[in-house]
Amino acid sequence: MGQLIQMGGSVAAILALAFICARLGLGGDVRIGSEDEARQLARDALCGFEPEELALDRAGIGALLRDRQGRVMLLRRHGAHFAARLLDNHASARLDRNFLTLGTDERWFGQVTLDLGDKAQSWASSLRHLGTNRA
């Protein structure tokens, strides 16, 4: 009988933790749902970055955004949030049909492969100009 009570208490505790996690929004499948959301994430990541062009990954796991100054920001999912980095060169860019694999010189940021569809080729081409306009 003691084991049954202990097991019931354990199940109740697990259900309580699951309920708390659900109410806090923990453990969800985080994705960028729209271009407007991607723009807002970029603005939140870097003050003064006002996206003019963007390419959103088809699965919503990341995005590429360009502002009026020609700066390019990479947004990628990082756990339950999104991380953003400005790209300063194209050394870590690799195109494979509709997929563009990007990374930074920052080891901890890692790489991400974005499915950009028709936009992959034009974005890969435009990234070749990064870092060349600096004085």
Side-chain angles (χ1 to χ4, degrees), residues 39-47 49 73 75 82-85:
R39 283 185 173 90
Q40 190 58 49
L41 286 168
R43 287 184 199 110
D44 292 346
L46 181 62
C47 183
F49 190 90
M73 179 181 286
L75 284 175
F82 283 90
R85 295 295 185 275

Side-chain angles (χ1 to χ4, degrees), residues 29-135:
D29 187 16
V30 180
R31 298 187 187 260
I32 301 172
S34 68
E35 289 186 358
D36 288 337
E37 185 179 354
R39 283 185 173 90
Q40 190 58 49
L41 286 168
R43 287 184 199 110
D44 292 346
L46 181 62
C47 183
F49 190 90
E50 191 58 44
E52 298 225 330
E53 264 185 273
L54 75 89
L56 185 61
D57 175 77
R58 288 181 179 180
I61 62 166
L64 277 174
L65 304 99
R66 186 183 334 272
D67 71 356
R68 192 173 293 176
Q69 299 171 25
R71 298 179 297 178
V72 176
M73 179 181 286
L74 170 61
L75 284 175
R76 67 163 295 179
R77 186 168 59 184
H78 184 74
H81 302 282
F82 283 90
R85 295 295 185 275
L86 288 177
L87 299 178
D88 56 1
N89 62 53
H90 70 281
S92 297
R94 190 176 67 248
L95 177 67
D96 182 17
R97 297 185 186 197
N98 293 341
F99 298 94
L100 187 56
T101 301
L102 297 160
T104 66
D105 293 334
E106 196 176 327
R107 180 173 86 127
W108 299 109
F109 189 74
Q111 288 189 334
V112 64
T113 299
L114 303 175
D115 181 356
L116 302 179
D118 305 3
K119 295 181 179 181
Q121 178 69 40
S122 63
W123 274 90
S125 177
S126 73
L127 291 176
R128 289 188 199 115
H129 303 292
L130 285 178
T132 60
N133 297 334
R134 300 187 184 236

Side-chain angles (χ1 to χ4, degrees), residues 11-21:
V11 169
I14 290 169
L15 291 174
L17 284 174
F19 176 75
I20 292 169
C21 288

